[in-house]
Amino acid sequence: QVQLVESGGGLVQPGGSLRLSCAASGFTFSIYAMMWYRQAPGKERELVALITKPGGTNYLESVKGRFTISRDNAKNTVYLQMNSLKPEDTAVYYCKVVVGSVPYWGQGTQVTVSS
């Protein structure tokens, strides 16, 4: 059974940093692309970052140069390092994987950027 569990969210001041983690189980983690999405109140969920099986990455334009996605296949974990956070980064952040054409989501972790 595929499971994704996010952690690391919280309240941070503008300009601060957070590192999100997503612990995966129930599938062969190393052979799948992993994704981070976010959803702000009243807005649609959007793709923030993606990391492929060989480690290629892609980012939402507004987070390029500030966020870094990485993976540790030995720990079945994907990370999102977020630096220079802005109030507009406030959202619930979700981890996602697509296995056998079926999307799986974590429960989400709240990130609030506010002074």
Side-chain angles (χ1 to χ4, degrees):
Q1 179 175 345
V2 174
Q3 282 196 312
L4 301 171
V5 180
E6 301 97 335
S7 61
L11 173 64
V12 63
Q13 292 187 341
S17 298
L18 282 175
R19 188 176 83 154
L20 306 183
S21 300
C22 172
S25 61
F27 63 103
T28 306
F29 177 81
S30 61
I31 67 172
Y32 289 94
M34 297 297 299
M35 292 153 275
W36 283 100
Y37 280 73
R38 69 185 180 187
Q39 187 166 22
K43 295 188 176 181
E44 292 188 356
R45 196 170 293 191
E46 62 181 356
L47 177 63
V48 176
L50 174 150
I51 186 165
T52 63
K53 167 185 142 180
T57 58
N58 201 3
Y59 296 94
L60 181 68
E61 189 64 34
S62 62
V63 309
K64 283 182 181 178
R66 300 188 298 120
F67 290 12
T68 302
I69 188 171
S70 61
R71 65 191 301 159
D72 185 336
N73 290 336
K75 295 183 178 180
N76 286 0
T77 301
V78 60
Y79 303 97
L80 186 67
Q81 177 66 44
M82 306 186 295
N83 299 328
S84 302
L85 282 161
K86 303 176 180 180
E88 52 263 43
D89 295 318
T90 295
V92 179
Y93 284 71
Y94 299 90
C95 180
K96 177 187 173 183
V97 67
V98 180
V99 178
S101 299
V102 177
Y104 295 90
W105 298 87
Q107 82 288 351
T109 186
Q110 175 71 47
V111 172
T112 303
V113 185
S114 175
S115 55

